[in-house]
Amino acid sequence: MKRNVSSDPPYKSSDLGHPLPDSKYAVSVSLPTWDSVIGYEEGRDSVINKLQTGYPRFFVSPIIKSLEFNVLRDLNLSSDQRCLLFDVENTAVRCQKFIVDRTDGWEVLIKPIFHGKAYAVVFPIQIEHVAKKFWRFFGEGVSVRRAKSFLANRTDEKNQGGEAVDQIKEKISQDTGQDIENIFIYPSGMAAVSATHRALTKIRPNARSVQFDFPYVDVLKLQQEIGSGVIFLPSADSESITKLKDIIDKGELLCGIYCEVPSNPLLRSADLAAIKSIVNSCNTPIVVDDTVATNVNVNVLKYADVVTTSLTKYYSGAGDVIAGAVIVNSSSAHAEEIISQLKNQGDACLFFEDALVLRNNMSDYSQRIARINETTPRLVDLLMEEPLIEKVWYPKYETRQSYDAVRRSGGGFSGLFSMKLKNSEEKAQHFYDALKLCKGPSLGANFTLVCPYTLLAHYDELDWCEKHGVSKWLIRISVGLESYEFLSKRILEALDEIR
């Protein structure tokens, strides 16, 4: 019998590695203690060997590993070879080029597998660390459900996903007011971001991009890895606006400006109206990610040329499928060119089983967000009055004017907040370990998820994060559908443990 992780969270040290939710397709995994998080980051066998699953771009599922093993065996390759698996040849070619460009003389091959239904990129184990970057930053590898179908030799089954993908697009179209032709579905949120960046760098080759405000980790790293470089403006204040204006005034032509509403993990919102007024003169596209706020709460298309969103998060809610979307603003001067580029890329869409699951998960999307909108501000207000808390970050109280500029009538502030305890060096670990809630990566699930975000996302660059105001002791909480009474009781109980 499957465990209900909402009512019975796997929070004990003995629950290390339990999938969140209780499914072989879970996109999160229980890291119930501060030490287990550090062990995960350092690759400690005592932690890694207990993980039944993990966030798909950072952790290769045992099902996908089994498929990789079978592919290498069937290709009669030596034990010092490794591979990554992709649904479409274009992605495999990009992966091959990515690895070759970052290594020196190693042979990287593309092998059609399963009668051309998929492709393996084969490389020596010595450069596996480079290949893993592509898997992580681009999010275009085969999904767990796809791998399972190959393992079961279901290679010729009819693809039923077309109708499900169209229905997903129709739902997003209704939510955003954009035509279905302007909506593109991808196998992950980062695949959506990378497709957008490839399009913009193709339209304006040799032009740099701008990352406005401290973003989700891989969005910045992607811009550093492909294209002509990125200018990082690490705050959402007037100083960053001034710096952006100086860049434009000096005549630099940019390929795009990236920001989040709100940002993850500091929950700040870029002043999109100010950015729009600055870039109008040079006609630079603005790309906004609304994953955290959700389009139930905000309409960033008032200013954005392109919107990226991770469907893995709130749209799905269940936490058992990974997907992403790009929505091109039909009123943008760049719309026709960007849409053309996206169509020409030949990217993978969703495997039909993933599309069916996502379509079904999305049915109560708006109702779930409404419930989360009610619970989260109450928890935030409770914690802001708590003497043990030094700071709480939440869109309701961070750069509120910028958030309100895109907030829908009746829109709320969504379900993500971050907090820092007083005397964090002494208290943070004890609070986290004592908390009787699901603890692991990801956000936007129907069950509450807690993580020491900076440790998970930036373990090798903690000092750099501190310099930009992101504490290594920061704890991020994604509120689910549990009642306020249930969540507040468990959070207060954990705080009582450190008083």
Side-chain angles (χ1 to χ4, degrees):
M1 185 175 177
K2 288 190 175 182
R3 183 172 183 171
N4 184 329
V5 300
S6 289
S7 58
D8 183 20
Y11 62 85
K12 298 176 183 176
S13 58
S14 58
D15 291 317
L16 170 62
H18 193 288
L20 303 172
D22 193 351
S23 163
K24 67 183 72 171
Y25 308 112
V27 304
S28 189
V29 64
S30 178
L31 296 171
T33 66
W34 197 272
D35 184 66
S36 67
V37 172
I38 293 172
Y40 168 76
E41 288 298 325
E42 295 182 347
R44 205 183 299 157
D45 287 344
S46 59
V47 174
I48 301 299
N49 292 342
K50 291 182 180 177
L51 302 185
Q52 298 176 45
T53 185
Y55 197 77
R57 291 185 300 101
F58 292 81
F59 179 86
V60 180
S61 158
I63 294 173
I64 295 176
K65 284 183 178 178
S66 293
L67 181 62
E68 290 175 348
F69 176 84
N70 289 358
V71 166
L72 291 170
R73 181 198 61 202
D74 294 346
L75 291 172
N76 294 316
L77 293 169
S78 63
S79 60
D80 63 350
Q81 297 288 298
R82 296 291 183 269
C83 69
L84 296 179
L85 308 178
F86 302 98
D87 278 324
V88 296
E89 189 174 12
N90 281 359
T91 308
V93 170
R94 283 199 299 270
C95 178
Q96 180 190 45
K97 184 177 187 307
F98 181 92
I99 299 170
V100 168
D101 287 349
R102 288 158 179 79
T103 54
D104 185 18
W106 295 96
E107 187 176 45
V108 182
L109 302 174
I110 297 175
K111 300 281 189 181
I113 54 176
F114 302 110
H115 309 291
K117 303 269 195 238
Y119 297 84
V121 177
V122 180
F123 47 86
I125 191 173
Q126 291 91 337
I127 56 173
E128 186 175 21
H129 63 288
V130 179
K132 283 182 175 178
K133 280 188 174 184
F134 186 90
W135 184 271
R136 170 181 164 178
F137 295 149
F138 294 85
E140 298 174 284
V142 295
S143 73
V144 177
R145 287 184 181 86
R146 180 64 158 156
K148 192 178 177 190
S149 75
F150 281 131
L151 286 169
N153 203 29
R154 299 199 310 268
T155 59
D156 295 322
E157 58 193 354
K158 186 179 178 182
N159 189 330
Q160 309 160 38
E163 183 181 354
V165 169
D166 286 344
Q167 290 169 339
I168 291 167
K169 288 183 178 181
E170 286 170 10
K171 169 63 174 161
I172 296 172
S173 173
Q174 293 166 8
D175 292 339
T176 61
Q178 296 298 309
D179 293 339
I180 289 175
E181 291 74 19
N182 291 25
I183 298 166
F184 298 81
I185 306 300
Y186 294 91
S188 72
M190 278 306 300
V193 175
S194 63
T196 300
H197 195 52
R198 282 196 304 274
L200 297 189
T201 55
K202 190 82 170 177
I203 292 167
R204 288 188 179 172
N206 305 315
R208 294 191 293 177
S209 59
V210 166
Q211 176 60 56
F212 193 92
D213 198 13
F214 193 97
Y216 168 66
V217 53
D218 285 346
V219 174
L220 178 59
K221 291 190 182 297
L222 174 75
Q223 294 171 76
Q224 293 168 337
E225 288 287 345
I226 63 170
S228 298
V230 56
I231 304 163
F232 180 34
L233 304 177
S235 62
D237 57 13
S238 58
E239 182 181 350
S240 288
I241 292 289
T242 300
K243 286 180 180 177
L244 177 62
K245 188 174 186 307
D246 288 344
I247 293 165
I248 301 296
D249 288 347
K250 287 175 181 175
E252 180 168 358
L253 195 62
L254 303 165
C255 71
I257 296 171
Y258 291 80
C259 55
E260 301 168 356
V261 175
S263 61
N264 176 15
L266 295 182
L267 290 308
R268 302 182 300 210
S269 298
D271 186 345
L272 293 179
I275 293 172
K276 188 74 170 177
S277 67
I278 290 169
V279 302
N280 271 343
S281 61
C282 62
N283 210 18
T284 299
I286 300 172
V287 182
V288 181
D289 194 294
D290 68 352
T291 299
V292 172
T294 78
N295 56 33
V296 172
N297 292 319
V298 300
N299 176 22
V300 298
L301 287 159
K302 289 171 65 175
Y303 303 104
D305 297 276
V306 181
V307 176
T308 58
T309 197
S310 173
L311 303 176
T312 311
K313 311 303 192 301
Y314 291 105
Y315 254 109
S316 169
D320 62 354
V321 65
I322 185 167
V326 173
I327 303 101
V328 181
N329 191 338
S330 59
S331 65
S332 167
H334 308 279
E336 185 177 340
E337 205 168 12
I338 293 172
I339 289 170
S340 175
Q341 286 294 334
L342 292 174
K343 286 181 176 177
N344 290 338
Q345 287 180 7
D347 290 314
C349 193
L350 282 185
F351 178 54
F352 82 88
E353 290 182 11
D354 292 315
L356 291 168
V357 171
L358 176 60
R359 181 200 64 187
N360 294 340
N361 290 352
M362 291 169 69
S363 61
D364 61 348
Y365 165 63
S366 299
Q367 295 93 321
R368 288 187 279 107
I369 299 304
R371 181 165 174 177
I372 289 167
N373 281 344
E374 291 180 5
T375 305
T376 312
R378 294 180 67 190
L379 289 171
V380 168
D381 289 346
L382 175 73
L383 291 172
M384 290 181 76
E385 296 298 320
E386 171 57 55
L388 291 172
I389 305 293
E390 179 179 313
K391 167 77 175 172
V392 181
W393 292 265
Y394 187 55
K396 187 176 180 180
Y397 301 112
E398 300 294 319
T399 58
R400 174 65 182 270
Q401 187 174 350
S402 297
Y403 187 88
D404 280 350
V406 292
R407 185 156 65 107
R408 293 184 185 274
S409 175
F413 299 94
S414 201
L416 194 71
F417 67 90
S418 297
M419 55 180 276
K420 184 174 182 245
L421 292 157
K422 293 177 181 175
N423 302 317
S424 289
E425 297 86 343
E426 300 173 14
K427 305 289 189 181
Q429 177 173 342
H430 298 302
F431 169 78
Y432 182 82
D433 291 355
L435 193 55
K436 295 179 180 180
L437 294 170
C438 293
K439 291 172 276 189
S442 197
L443 62 92
N446 297 336
F447 49 90
T448 296
L449 263 172
V450 184
C451 72
Y453 175 82
T454 318
L455 289 187
L456 268 180
H458 298 278
Y459 190 72
D460 295 326
E461 49 189 15
L462 295 176
D463 291 341
W464 177 80
C465 289
E466 291 277 1
K467 186 176 78 171
H468 294 305
V470 182
S471 170
K472 64 182 175 183
W473 306 107
L474 182 141
I475 293 172
R476 192 189 71 181
I477 300 180
S478 171
V479 176
L481 299 179
E482 303 94 337
S483 70
Y484 169 79
E485 289 72 23
F486 177 88
L487 293 173
S488 60
K489 181 174 185 290
R490 298 223 161 181
I491 292 171
L492 290 175
E493 285 174 349
L495 287 170
D496 286 342
E497 291 290 323
I498 62 171
R499 290 191 197 277

